Amino acid sequence: MSVVKGPDSEREITIRQMIDENQTVLLRMCYLYLHDVQLAEDAVQETFIKAYRALDSFRGEASARTWLTRIAMRTCMDMQRGFWFRRVERRVTPEMLPDRTQEVEDGESALTLAVMNLPKKEREVTLLYYYQDMTVNEIAETLGVTQPTVSYRLRCAKEKLRTELERRDDP
Amino acid sequence: MNEQQEKAKFRQAIDHTLTGLEGDPFLYQRVTAQTEKGAHVMKHRKWNMGLVIALAVMACIMTAAAASGWFGGYVNWNGEILPEERADMLPHPTAAPEMSVDMSSFRLAQELVMSAQEMEIVQVTQKNVFGGESTTSNRLEKHPDTYEAFLVLLAEAPYLPVPAFIPEGYEFSDCQLVYDCRRDGEYVLTSTEVLEDGSRVERYRVAEEDALLSGYSLSFRRNGDPEDYLAVYTRLYHQTDPAEHHIGVNEDQTAQVMAVAGMDNAIAILSDTHRTLTMRRVLPQKVDYLYYDLEEVRYPDSYSEVQIDVMTRQVDAATMADMFSGQ
């Protein structure tokens, strides 16, 4: 997607396209992080509001997906740090997942639950690396940590998810 | 399986599991309305949900994942780190009643609560899997549209400090005022309805003269930088022992005790990307009120204090302190 500057109508076209192409995957990422559908929807809306306002500063150095993911993850992190949202992590169980529109394999929901039950810092890097296909460098910039820290957290997460990932590899 | 194959299978598993989560076809309209006209066009009342969740938070199980490294530790108002053995003794919440209600019922309760009008409480009571009842409710709230309107309402509550100034460049974004009921007032039941699934929906109001402003949230944004925000959260508490209050500190954060004129305690929690200043002031006279859970709460040995959280990415801790110094 090319960077668009100029009249508001062009901005609106750009943000609409960004919303159409990215909101579902961002919603799912935010849900996996926040464990709550309504919070995730609020985070996604806040993300696109921020993106709309900052459209002029988006220079296309990263893809629109990466740029939006960065905003969304920071929005989620801020929501979790908020005083009125300060909370204890609840272990997510299968019945807490949103209703599905199609059948899903047990292994797939097990992997999803395993991700949601990762410690927060491992969950962050896992979602950005595996679900959003960001590089270690991009993740480090997003989270404000070093690349070795990202690599370490990914290794820890992968160890915890190994059973589920290997199960998915079975033909 | 190579890395790319792993990622592909990962994404497939997530997307198959979350097929029920799809984008909102009206998101574009809400985003442009909010940004261009300054209107509040929220699909959900965010702070309502935060408070509903806060209810669940107070009754959640501390998981093994949380115990194994969710945060770096706890500090008290003096910046002293809580010893591990004492951290283990912090109250562990019990199972959340909301967790024992199936998701569709909980979602219904949330929607009903979201439908509450300004200064109305909607309380939904549902049977849970343990044979008991679970409740979901909102708070009495007002949502002034401007910072000036916010300040007018805050004049009614001199015990709640307001910022002496707003750092340059930051503009008002939104706010929420939370009310409870004065001790000699009452939450008036205005209607009761039992739904087909057995859920009981009760609506309450408080007379204007009985409503007591007990907290607010206030947020600002700086032009041109969407991630540059400043948020203030203030809350009135019944308190018994301030020594029991501990603040969680993540591994990448440091705690810095500060002296702020007019505040009894202040501690800044700082990281490279985020800053929070939490302050506390004991009130000279108790401000007595009925807590939001609609049952009279008695704290005969308590006193009143106000806690203020200021949160931001860019503003330094000294400036945040100056905003409330001498208030």
Side-chain angles (χ1 to χ4, degrees), chain A residues 41 45-46 52 129 131, chain B residues 3 15 30 36 44 221:
Chain A
E41 288 172 342
Q45 179 170 316
E46 187 68 18
Y52 184 86
Y129 186 75
Y131 191 59
Chain B
E3 196 81 341
D15 286 336
R30 288 206 309 282
E36 293 180 346
H44 303 288
R221 298 280 188 270

Side-chain angles (χ1 to χ4, degrees), chain B residues 123-323:
Chain B
Q123 177 168 280
V124 182
T125 305
Q126 298 167 305
K127 291 278 190 289
N128 63 33
V129 298
F130 302 122
E133 290 185 331
S134 303
T135 60
T136 308
S137 67
N138 63 311
R139 306 290 298 271
L140 292 172
E141 295 169 8
K142 289 185 181 178
H143 297 262
D145 289 330
T146 65
Y147 188 51
E148 291 69 31
F150 164 83
L151 291 174
V152 167
L153 292 171
L154 261 291
E156 303 167 0
Y159 43 86
L160 292 178
V162 297
F165 67 91
I166 306 302
E168 188 175 343
Y170 286 90
E171 294 181 348
F172 173 77
S173 176
D174 57 75
C175 68
Q176 177 196 42
L177 274 57
V178 176
Y179 291 78
D180 287 283
C181 178
R182 296 184 188 281
R183 181 65 161 220
D184 52 0
E186 63 175 325
Y187 290 97
V188 179
L189 178 66
T190 57
S191 72
T192 303
E193 180 185 2
V194 179
L195 305 181
E196 278 187 13
D197 67 348
S199 301
R200 187 172 71 251
V201 183
E202 295 163 319
R203 295 176 186 269
Y204 294 82
R205 286 193 179 273
V206 169
E208 191 70 31
E209 60 270 20
D210 290 339
L212 182 101
L213 182 53
S214 55
Y216 67 81
S217 68
L218 185 59
S219 66
F220 301 86
R221 298 280 188 270
R222 187 153 64 175
N223 286 337
D225 189 345
E227 297 178 30
D228 190 357
Y229 67 90
L230 176 71
V232 180
Y233 305 87
T234 300
R235 187 73 177 94
L236 177 67
Y237 284 105
H238 296 296
Q239 186 62 280
T240 53
D241 184 359
E244 287 302 314
H245 184 88
H246 291 87
I247 301 168
V249 181
N250 292 340
E251 292 165 359
D252 62 341
Q253 296 175 322
T254 56
Q256 177 184 322
V257 176
M258 298 182 68
V260 179
M263 298 293 165
D264 291 276
N265 296 97
I267 188 163
I269 308 297
L270 307 171
S271 72
D272 290 342
T273 57
H274 195 86
R275 297 154 190 167
T276 300
L277 176 64
T278 299
M279 295 169 281
R280 166 181 171 263
R281 174 199 290 167
V282 176
L283 299 183
Q285 283 189 321
K286 187 172 179 177
V287 181
D288 220 351
Y289 61 95
L290 299 180
Y291 203 34
Y292 66 91
D293 60 3
L294 305 181
E295 293 181 9
E296 191 174 11
V297 178
R298 297 185 183 278
Y299 293 100
D301 300 325
S302 70
Y303 58 91
S304 292
E305 72 172 40
V306 173
Q307 282 189 21
I308 308 113
D309 278 351
V310 186
M311 300 174 54
T312 182
R313 281 194 187 278
Q314 303 290 350
V315 179
D316 59 85
T319 301
M320 288 194 282
D322 286 343
M323 287 170 63

Side-chain angles (χ1 to χ4, degrees), chain B residues 100-114:
Chain B
S100 58
V101 177
D102 67 81
M103 282 305 291
S104 61
S105 297
F106 184 44
R107 205 170 285 132
L108 170 65
Q110 289 176 329
E111 288 177 0
L112 288 166
V113 166
M114 291 299 185

Side-chain angles (χ1 to χ4, degrees), chain A residues 118-135:
Chain A
L118 285 172
K120 185 166 65 108
K121 292 184 187 302
E122 293 173 18
R123 196 183 328 141
E124 289 165 359
V125 297
T126 300
L127 291 174
L128 294 177
Y129 186 75
Y130 284 99
Y131 191 59
Q132 296 290 40
D133 200 20
M134 290 173 77
T135 65

